Structure formats: C-alpha cells, structure tokens
Amino acid sequence: MTEQATGAPKPQPRAPRAGQQQPGGPAHATEHMTGAQSLIRSLEEIGADTVFGIPGGAILPAYDPMMDSSRVRHVLVRHEQGAGHAATGYAQATGKVGVCMATSGPGATNLVTPIADAHMDSVPLVAITGQVTSKAIGTDAFQEADICGITMPITKHNFLVTDPADIPRTIVEAFHIASTGRPGPVLVDIAKDALQAQTVFSWPPQLELPGYRPVTKPHAKQIREAARLVTEARRPVLYVGGGVLKAGATAELKVLAELTGAPVTTTLMGIGSFPDSHPQHLGMPGMHGTVAAVTALQKSDLIVALGARFDDRVTGKLDSFAPYARIVHADIDPAEIGKNRAADVPIVGDAREVIADLIVAVQAEQAAGRTAGYAEWWELLNRWRETYPLGYDLPEDGSLSPQQVIQRIGERAPEGTVYAAGVGQHQMWAAHYIDYEKPATWLNSGGLGTMGYAVPAALGAKVGMPDRAVWAIDGDGCFQMTNQELATAALNNIPIKVAVINNGALGMVRQWQTLFYNQRYSNTRLHDGDGEEPARGTRVPDFVKLAEAMGCVGIRCEDPEQLDAVIEQANSINDRPVVVDFVVHEDAMVWPMVAAGTSNDEVMAARGVRPDFGDSDD
C-alpha cells in the first residue's frame, strides 16, 4: 500500500541524534594528548555543543582544554543540581542528549537528584564526573564517593574510567545508550589520573555493546491483533505517554486518532503529543486529570497505551482501574509491559514504528468492512466534557487567582513558547490552563516530582532553543530551592522569564492538609510560620529585590487589573532574565482530584462535587 493511500507519514530512517554515534567512517589521524583533551575532543566529535557544570579538584583537568577554542560551550551554574536540571531541560526541548559535569564527592552526589529525575522521565542525559586517582579509589580519600554505586539504580548504565585510552569509546557508548531505546541517564566517572595521563586519540572508536540491542520494530502479529481489537471496541481510548514525544511520533499519532475516531488522553509527560485544541482530545488523565479523561479510561472497553507506563498517578487504586477494558500496551521498554497492568496485546517497539504499522493494520481492517462506530461513546464523552469542564472561581477579596495568572501567561505568550513548570499546584494549573499545540513546549518533572526543577530546566531549554521564548512557571516553594541559577542566566545572557506563583505556602501540601488533616497547617506556610497572612508586598524573601540582586528584572503583580500589562512588560524584555512575583490567593485548590489510594471512580470535579455518570456503565 502506498504512502499516499495510507495517509500516514511513513517512518523514514532518522538521522542520528547528537550522541547516536554510528561506528565507521573516516578516522582522524591519531594524535597524542592528555585524557582531559581526549574527553573534550570526544564531546566535540559526538556533537555535544553545551555542557552545564562546575569545576572542582578531580574534574579540573577537563576544564583546562575548554579554554583552547573548544566548540563546546560550558555554562557555569551555581549548584550541581542546577547543572543536571539544565541539561534535562536542554534535552527535553531539543531532543538531543543533555550533558552535565561535576567533580568528585559532593559535586557528584549533588547530581543524584537530577539523574534520578531524568531516569524517571526517560530523558537522555550524560553526566560526567571526576573521581579521585585510581590508586586512591576505595581509601576514603578526600572528596571520594562511589558515585557509580550510588547511581546504579537510577541510570541506564554507568562507567568508571581509569585508562585514558578508554575515554573516546566510553563517551560514544554513553551517548548511544542514553539516546537509543528508552532514553535515560548515563554516568561517566573518570579518575583524575586518567584525565592527566597522556594517551593516543583516534576517532571514531568502535562501539563495544554486544548485549545492548533495543527492539524498535513491533511484531506484525501483535499489530494485527491490536487493530482487530480497535475495530471491535465500542469504547476505546488512546492513552498516550511521553514515549510518543521521545519517538517523534506526534504526526503518526494524529493520523491514527483521526483514522479510528477514538478519544485521546495525554499524560503529564505526554502533553504536547496531541493538540489540546483537537476535538478528540479529552485532556490529561490521572489524579488531577480532567473528569472526561479520567472517566473515559475508567469506563472504556479498550485502552491502547502508547509509550505510557500505567503510573499510579494515572491509575489510582490499581485493582479498580478500568475494570471493563482490554489492554493493548506498546512500549519500547519490555520491562514496562505487564509491570502494573496485564496486557492482552503486548507490543514491544518504538512508538513511531508501532503507530505507523497500526495505521496500516487498521486501514486493512476497515477495507475488509470491519469498522467500529463510536457515536454512543462520543455522546457520553461529550456529556462529561460539557457537564464537568475545567474551571475556577475568582477570589472574592479581589486578589489574584493563580489559575487566571497562568492562563493569561499562556494566552499572551509568543507562539512556540516553551514552558517549564516546577512541582505542585502551579504545575497542575499550567498543565490545564495553557494550551499546548506542539511537542517539546511543555517541560516538567513528572515521575520524581522534583521541586526546584523549573528555573534551571528553563535555562537549559533557552540555551538549546535560543530563538524561543521560555517561561518558567514556578511556585514560591520550588523557586527558593534553585533560584541561585538566576545569576547563571543573567551572567550568561540567557533571558528566561520566571513566573513565581506566590501564595506564601507549600500549596499542594497545604491543599492536602485542608482536605485530609482538618486544616492543621503544619509547616507549610512560607512567609512567617503560623502567623496571620502578611500584608501585601511584605513577604520574605522579597522576590523582586532578590531578582534584581541576581542581575534580573524584578516585577511584582498583586492587582488583577494590572495582570495583562505586567505580562506584556515581561514579554517585551528580551535582553535579561525577568522574574514576576505574582502574589496570589493562598486558598486556591487544584481540581479535579482523585485522592491518593482511592479509585478513579471517586474523582471529584470540585470540593464536595462528585460527578454523576448515570447509567454510563450499561
């Protein structure tokens, strides 16, 4: 069948991403140099253009060659955690491998959180750390830490390099592992004496990964069976995760959705894989998903999971999740299939190839007269959408609504703006109230839920996509964890924009205290302990003064009537980072909500409002 006949974008051989080094080709003449010079040359040759890091004793030899007209740009951050999150933001925005660098001991251990974050969200990351000299390893030397052992559970693979001759091959293998199959972080720990020693450099090295063979092409029989189930189903749902974005399969997804007519839900990590404005899009499922998305999965008779992993935040109480549904589960990682929910049709493969093959198989079913009608299903779905839409109330005291702030930022931002969110209430509001029409415009910490992610991730995204506007949507709690990276942004001419949704509290935790702890607000107020709400403009710290001290423009907005003007002012400043302190009402909550440990059947559209689905189970 021709490509024109199918209407599906035919998968083409993809050019290697940065890091997907293909062995072979002409080699450079061998050169004598230090291991450190070999490291920097290897990064240049593999296509890495940016490294986020901080020098220190064990990694110091690697910093000296960077001064010799290296093609690698180094961004000096203020904390290694910032380096890791910046590399993650860079990778998520560009699709390339992010690179961060740190010294031994505390420098390396400060990378543990962003490495774990990248592992949970399948982000291609290479972390390069210095290590004490080979002879000192295991002696509890100054600033020694077994970072390979520490990160073993949170990396795809890690390497300890003690021979300088191994550096080029290790870098190539690290980038290859990080960027192929299910992407993820790889650690390269290099002993200081290996960086200092003389070696012979040649390129390209030969990959030596005999046991690493990710399966990308799905099994044809499983594809045909999945297509049969799709055409037989009465209530199907396409459950789309971040794997579709990582595979570059958004065009194929749109074709499949429109071909089948099935509703689409996109997870927190899958946002942007399917246009929010598309009439078949029900929104995000899960703990704070839309009523329509949560209920569609719950009442479905077939779930086609594409690059999603049946995370607990999506399923709620697992044994009550989607009790009527058969499961088609496609993922490039075979370990995910059947891990949480048994699959009736397991498909191992790259999401782009899976979806493209599934399109052809569904068309074959339809050509044979086996078609499905989903009119009754859409009647139910549309009723739920219309009865329980997303929405919020404006505060009665005239203060700013956080949802309104975020919605207006999205409405007034330039086309193609990239948003990086912290973790908590503002993250959920940003997921709901900003429209995402294209991939790689929504960055967040989904699996690990890392507070402090937004500012450095936005910085990394702006480095990777300098022509795009980048907004960090942060909470005042998250912002205080990594705001030192504002200095990094200011000094390196990285003009990000930061919206601090300042409710004076750890908002999501406070919401739980309101709902489940009888409004006992233990250690969640950020302004003055257990005192009364402070007067406007007196909260500590003063984020405007803090921003100015960091070399940024600081703006405060407390009046809804000034909201649009302030956002326009922030959007108009492109020569420096901008921080806007949006002082908002502290009692706003995220709805809908499924309480932790409960069934998705118990979704609440708002406080005290449980949807009535009538006889929809019939």
Side-chain angles (χ1 to χ4, degrees):
M1 186 173 290
T2 67
E3 182 179 345
Q4 288 77 16
T6 67
K10 184 179 180 181
Q12 299 296 321
R14 277 180 273 181
R17 297 175 183 172
Q20 288 183 250
Q21 176 64 34
Q22 305 300 307
H28 292 291
T30 57
E31 300 177 54
H32 291 272
M33 59 182 67
T34 66
Q37 291 170 321
S38 174
L39 170 63
I40 302 306
R41 276 288 293 278
S42 297
L43 291 173
E44 292 173 342
E45 296 296 338
I46 204 68
D49 53 37
T50 306
V51 174
F52 303 91
I54 303 180
I59 196 65
L60 195 57
Y63 273 78
D64 187 66
M66 291 188 194
M67 296 190 70
D68 299 329
S69 302
S70 172
R71 298 195 302 272
V72 177
R73 176 188 183 185
H74 182 272
V75 177
L76 176 62
V77 296
R78 296 303 180 266
H79 191 283
E80 288 88 356
Q81 183 179 355
H85 290 319
T88 292
Y90 173 95
Q92 289 177 314
T94 65
K96 297 190 289 187
V97 176
V99 185
C100 55
M101 189 177 290
T103 195
S104 63
T109 58
N110 280 343
L111 286 176
V112 168
T113 294
I115 289 172
D117 181 85
H119 178 69
M120 289 287 278
D121 288 345
S122 305
V123 178
L125 183 76
V126 170
I128 300 169
T129 54
Q131 184 55 275
V132 299
T133 60
S134 303
K135 291 183 179 179
I137 293 175
T139 68
D140 293 330
F142 176 68
Q143 291 193 332
E144 180 188 0
D146 178 12
I147 197 61
C148 287
I150 290 168
T151 61
M152 189 173 292
I154 55 170
T155 53
K156 278 190 74 175
H157 191 65
N158 56 39
F159 300 86
L160 173 60
V161 180
T162 57
D163 184 345
D166 292 336
I167 289 174
R169 175 181 54 80
T170 302
I171 292 299
V172 169
E173 291 176 355
F175 274 67
H176 180 73
I177 293 169
S179 60
T180 56
R182 179 179 182 172
V186 177
L187 178 90
V188 179
D189 194 32
I190 309 176
K192 185 174 184 178
D193 53 320
L195 292 171
Q196 293 171 318
Q198 290 290 316
T199 186
V200 175
F201 176 84
S202 63
W203 193 270
Q206 188 69 34
L207 288 177
E208 296 180 10
L209 299 170
Y212 182 69
R213 294 287 184 272
V215 174
T216 60
K217 184 68 176 173
H219 195 287
K221 181 180 178 181
Q222 301 299 83
I223 291 289
R224 290 194 299 271
E225 179 64 12
R228 183 184 68 80
L229 292 182
V230 168
T231 55
E232 290 179 354
R234 291 173 54 239
R235 298 180 177 181
V237 177
L238 302 182
Y239 161 42
V240 177
V244 169
L245 287 169
K246 291 172 176 63
T250 57
E252 288 81 1
L253 173 64
K254 189 168 183 286
V255 171
L256 177 65
E258 293 177 346
L259 175 67
T260 62
V264 178
T265 68
T266 52
T267 68
L268 187 66
M269 294 306 300
I271 288 174
S273 59
F274 194 73
D276 278 355
S277 62
H278 197 287
Q280 288 174 242
H281 193 218
L282 300 182
M284 181 178 76
M287 174 176 278
H288 292 294
T290 66
V291 171
V294 171
T295 310
L297 287 171
Q298 205 63 4
K299 307 298 185 183
S300 65
D301 64 1
L302 176 68
I303 293 175
V304 180
L306 301 168
R309 58 188 181 90
F310 292 90
D311 176 74
D312 64 288
R313 281 302 191 259
V314 168
T315 66
K317 187 178 180 182
L318 186 60
D319 59 11
S320 68
F321 174 70
Y324 318 107
R326 301 186 74 177
I327 305 295
V328 173
H329 191 179
D331 202 286
I332 199 163
D333 184 355
E336 287 296 346
I337 298 176
K339 184 177 79 173
N340 294 325
R341 175 67 180 259
D344 297 281
V345 181
I347 303 174
V348 178
D350 178 84
R352 193 174 180 211
E353 297 199 35
V354 168
I355 297 172
D357 286 359
L358 191 54
I359 289 167
V360 174
V362 169
Q363 287 175 326
E365 289 286 315
Q366 293 176 346
R370 293 182 287 272
T371 59
Y374 305 143
E376 292 183 6
W377 183 217
W378 273 110
E379 184 179 343
L380 278 173
L381 296 171
N382 287 329
R383 186 203 309 166
W384 298 336
R385 276 204 290 207
E386 293 164 7
T387 307
Y388 305 105
L390 291 172
Y392 55 89
D393 295 322
L394 297 177
E396 295 180 359
D397 64 0
S399 58
L400 276 175
S401 157
Q403 300 98 318
Q404 183 184 27
V405 168
I406 292 170
Q407 185 173 17
R408 292 303 288 164
I409 289 173
E411 290 170 349
R412 303 192 75 85
E415 185 178 356
T417 293
V418 177
Y419 302 89
V423 171
Q425 289 181 313
H426 61 280
Q427 176 190 26
M428 298 297 107
W429 290 324
H432 280 317
Y433 294 111
I434 295 174
D435 291 329
Y436 303 94
E437 300 297 313
K438 296 181 179 179
T441 54
W442 164 251
L443 319 178
N444 83 124
S445 171
L448 197 63
T450 307
M451 293 178 68
Y453 166 92
V455 170
L459 183 154
K462 185 66 175 177
V463 170
M465 306 293 285
D467 295 332
R468 298 275 195 93
V470 179
W471 271 95
I473 309 293
D474 221 355
D476 49 327
C478 289
F479 181 65
Q480 292 183 75
M481 293 193 173
T482 52
N483 61 34
Q484 68 272 10
E485 301 308 338
L486 291 174
T488 304
L491 293 173
N492 288 276
N493 301 311
I494 305 169
I496 61 172
K497 306 176 196 307
V498 182
V500 182
I501 309 302
N502 182 0
N503 65 356
L506 298 172
M508 188 63 86
V509 184
R510 189 179 191 277
Q511 176 168 331
W512 282 46
Q513 289 173 334
T514 299
L515 296 175
F516 309 120
Y517 291 87
N518 299 316
Q519 300 180 43
R520 290 164 56 84
Y521 299 120
S522 174
N523 291 284
T524 46
R525 281 185 171 163
L526 295 172
H527 45 79
D528 60 351
D530 294 325
E532 296 297 322
E533 177 73 6
R536 292 188 179 187
T538 64
R539 295 184 178 184
V540 176
D542 184 323
F543 291 135
V544 171
K545 291 180 180 177
L546 177 63
E548 292 171 347
M550 296 278 192
C552 306
V553 175
I555 309 169
R556 178 172 291 113
C557 183
E558 302 175 90
D559 186 348
E561 293 186 2
Q562 298 298 315
L563 178 58
D564 284 359
V566 167
I567 294 171
E568 286 300 319
Q569 182 184 355
N571 282 330
S572 70
I573 299 170
N574 293 302
D575 60 345
R576 286 170 292 170
V578 181
V579 176
V580 186
D581 179 15
F582 291 102
V583 180
V584 301
H585 197 279
E586 72 173 357
D587 290 328
M589 293 194 190
V590 179
W591 299 107
M593 180 177 181
V594 178
T598 67
S599 169
N600 283 355
D601 289 327
E602 299 177 51
V603 60
M604 293 180 287
R607 187 172 184 179
V609 178
R610 184 152 294 157
D612 179 9
F613 300 113
D615 59 355
S616 60
D617 294 348
D618 295 340

